[in-house]
Amino acid sequence: MLNRRTLLAQTAGFAVMGLSLGKAAAKNLPGIEKAAMRGAINATELGVRPGALDDQSKAFTKLLRDAHDRDMPVFLSPGIYIVSNLSLPGRVRLSGVPGASRIVYGGNGHLIMAEQAEHIELSGLVFDGSNRWMGDYAQGLLDLRRIAHLVVDNCQLTGSGKHGLALEHASGRIERSEISGAADAGIYSVEADGLEISGNSVSDCANGGILVHRWQAAEDGTIVSGNRIERIQARSGGTGQNGNGINAFRGNVIISGNIVSDCAFSAIRANSSSNLQITGNTCSRSGETAVYSEFSFEGAIIGNNIVDGAANGISIVNFNEGGRMGVCSGNIVRNLATSGPYPADAPGFGVGISVEADTTVSGNVVENAPLYGMQIGWGPFMRNVVATGNVIRKAGTGIVVTVVEGAGTAIISDNVIDGVQNGAIVGQRWAEPVTGDLAASGNAGYAHLTVERNHVS
């Protein structure tokens, strides 16, 4: 007769039997079954041991292949794992204890590569390149190519002999991670598709901070936001190819809310990047132009940024290369210098804001620009510029505007110009002043200029 007491006893018996069977299965497959109960494979139980003196690449490769075949995550216990030449399978979820689970490059090629993967997720890990030599074929300490979905979260990358994190055709997120000491750039992405790079710290890299590039101009859609980037050098030299905190090339990129300091060239530099937004960033102590939109771009919004310390402040230029269509508004630019990382061509360093074509410049504040507060056009390269409602204080010349034959229309109105040394608004032929102060005389007979209602003190 089945009563409540009998039912409870039978249930307890089945539970004990199930537990015994589970233990037996775990004994037969110790790593997989025990870890399966916890939802992840414990690498230690499958022979990948922290602190082992020998290279564990073979065991690590087998571990990742088993995890891929079972579509299961892998957990690394705290400690040091020495590996080399790992190739990730198509589906990997590898995690550890942040700051304590360390994957150290043993040399002789590369640390970790992946090609044509479906899902790669790396979290809570330290990747240490030990500043060792890397093969010519490797682009970075983590070299990940054609990744449909990528997540790198709460990781540390240090001591790479090339880029820290090198991505090609990647989609996904790079977030909350620290990249330092790379011999090239901290993060290098080429041909991305909807990548998000946010909340990271990138420091002490030899040639660049975060680089978002394309081989051909096309939709990129990368968002670079909320990162802290500092102490970026230009060890390989050049006049702007290296030494930039954030660099966009040929893609439509949103760069917002970053804090960028002590870069050898630009805090933020965009080359041939159309439909670009650079907003709400703080840029300190840039060696050359702090915020740059240059060469063949169409459409750049540069707004609500702070520039404190640079050779030049903000430049939206190169109409001669097709660079056009911009909005420059709500920025603070201050404390510029007349020296830069190389001998300057005319007109020199110390310019607050420079613009050339199809651009509005409004609501900006420029202070302590030793050459010009604002430069409008260069030679014949100017068209459809409106500069209104700006405050320029303590500058060599307040505003210079080109009066070279062939220059297009400019309207300069309702600006406040205070404490300038060489005139409030002056017409120039290239770098040579050729007019009196247009703030007092109007356009001085130059029909392409409208100069009115500016306040000078």
Side-chain angles (χ1 to χ4, degrees):
M1 181 175 181
L2 184 63
N3 54 32
R4 183 173 180 271
R5 180 174 297 178
T6 305
L7 179 62
L8 289 173
Q10 289 179 350
T11 302
F14 285 129
V16 171
M17 183 183 299
L19 181 60
S20 299
L21 290 173
K23 287 182 177 179
K27 186 175 181 180
N28 292 331
L29 293 171
I32 298 298
E33 295 299 333
K34 286 182 181 179
M37 296 176 190
R38 298 187 297 270
I41 298 173
N42 189 320
T44 303
E45 295 170 346
L46 287 182
V48 177
R49 303 182 306 278
L53 297 179
D54 56 327
D55 189 299
Q56 300 191 73
S57 302
K58 289 184 179 179
F60 221 107
T61 298
K62 183 178 185 304
L63 167 68
L64 295 177
R65 177 52 61 184
D66 288 346
H68 169 269
D69 292 343
R70 293 169 172 80
D71 206 7
M72 291 180 63
V74 176
F75 173 76
L76 293 184
S77 299
I80 295 174
Y81 303 82
I82 300 175
V83 298
S84 299
N85 300 324
L86 290 183
S87 294
L88 301 183
R91 297 181 67 83
V92 172
R93 303 171 193 87
L94 183 62
S95 66
V97 177
S101 301
R102 304 180 65 88
I103 299 175
V104 178
Y105 175 42
N108 302 317
H110 67 270
L111 178 60
I112 291 177
M113 296 186 73
E115 175 80 28
Q116 205 76 37
E118 182 181 355
H119 185 108
I120 302 292
E121 188 166 344
L122 307 170
S123 62
L125 300 166
V126 178
F127 299 95
D128 187 349
S130 300
N131 297 309
R132 289 192 170 195
W133 172 88
M134 301 178 70
D136 292 342
Y137 62 90
Q139 297 185 83
L141 195 63
L142 302 185
D143 191 341
L144 310 176
R145 310 180 190 189
R146 299 187 181 277
I147 313 299
H149 182 73
L150 172 68
V151 176
V152 178
D153 179 27
N154 200 18
C155 290
Q156 297 176 37
L157 287 79
T158 184
S160 173
K162 293 190 176 179
H163 299 304
L165 177 59
L167 307 176
E168 183 179 309
H169 288 284
S171 175
R173 309 189 311 276
I174 313 300
E175 57 189 0
R176 303 191 306 161
S177 295
E178 299 177 11
I179 300 98
S180 64
D184 209 333
I187 300 173
Y188 171 70
S189 167
V190 61
E191 298 285 296
D193 182 14
L195 187 66
E196 182 173 351
I197 303 172
S198 62
N200 303 286
S201 173
V202 180
S203 63
D204 301 295
C205 297
N207 279 321
I210 299 174
L211 279 55
V212 180
H213 289 188
R214 299 196 65 83
W215 293 317
Q216 296 180 343
E219 293 284 332
D220 190 287
T222 295
I223 298 173
V224 182
S225 66
N227 302 283
R228 185 181 301 274
I229 303 163
E230 54 192 345
R231 297 184 301 277
I232 302 300
Q233 305 172 46
R235 189 176 298 171
S236 297
T239 56
Q241 305 92 320
N242 302 298
N244 304 306
I246 301 172
N247 179 221
F249 180 45
R250 291 189 177 137
N252 61 316
V253 180
I254 294 175
I255 302 170
S256 65
N258 303 282
I259 297 177
V260 189
S261 60
D262 299 295
C263 297
F265 278 78
S266 295
I268 302 171
R269 194 180 196 104
N271 183 317
S272 304
S273 295
S274 296
N275 298 331
L276 167 78
Q277 295 186 52
I278 302 175
T279 59
N281 304 281
T282 299
C283 308
S284 304
R285 298 178 299 278
S286 302
E288 197 217 32
T289 302
V291 179
Y292 218 150
S293 179
E294 61 178 345
F295 293 107
S296 53
F297 68 90
E298 290 190 356
I301 295 176
I302 299 179
N304 301 330
N305 303 284
I306 294 176
V307 172
D308 189 351
N312 293 321
I314 297 172
S315 293
I316 308 174
V317 294
N318 291 124
F319 187 33
N320 58 319
E321 300 280 350
R324 55 175 291 273
M325 192 178 293
V327 173
C328 181
S329 67
N331 302 285
I332 293 176
V333 179
R334 61 197 297 243
N335 300 329
L336 305 180
T338 56
S339 60
Y342 53 83
D345 296 329
F349 294 119
V351 181
I353 297 174
S354 298
V355 297
E356 290 184 358
D358 305 332
T359 298
T360 63
V361 191
S362 62
N364 302 284
V365 177
V366 179
E367 182 177 86
N368 294 330
L371 188 56
Y372 314 138
M374 188 180 300
Q375 180 179 1
I376 302 175
W378 177 244
F381 302 110
M382 180 180 72
R383 184 179 72 189
N384 302 337
V385 174
V386 175
T388 184
N390 302 284
V391 174
I392 297 172
R393 182 173 180 271
K394 294 186 178 179
T397 304
I399 299 173
V400 298
V401 58
T402 182
V403 293
V404 170
E405 293 80 2
T409 298
I411 297 174
I412 305 170
S413 68
D414 300 291
N415 300 287
V416 174
I417 303 170
D418 174 42
V420 296
Q421 299 176 1
N422 304 313
I425 303 172
V426 175
Q428 294 198 157
R429 297 183 62 84
W430 302 99
E432 180 184 358
V434 294
T435 72
D437 196 330
L438 301 180
S441 63
N443 68 7
Y446 292 99
H448 68 297
L449 299 181
T450 299
V451 182
E452 59 187 12
R453 297 189 308 277
N454 297 285
H455 299 266
V456 179
S457 58

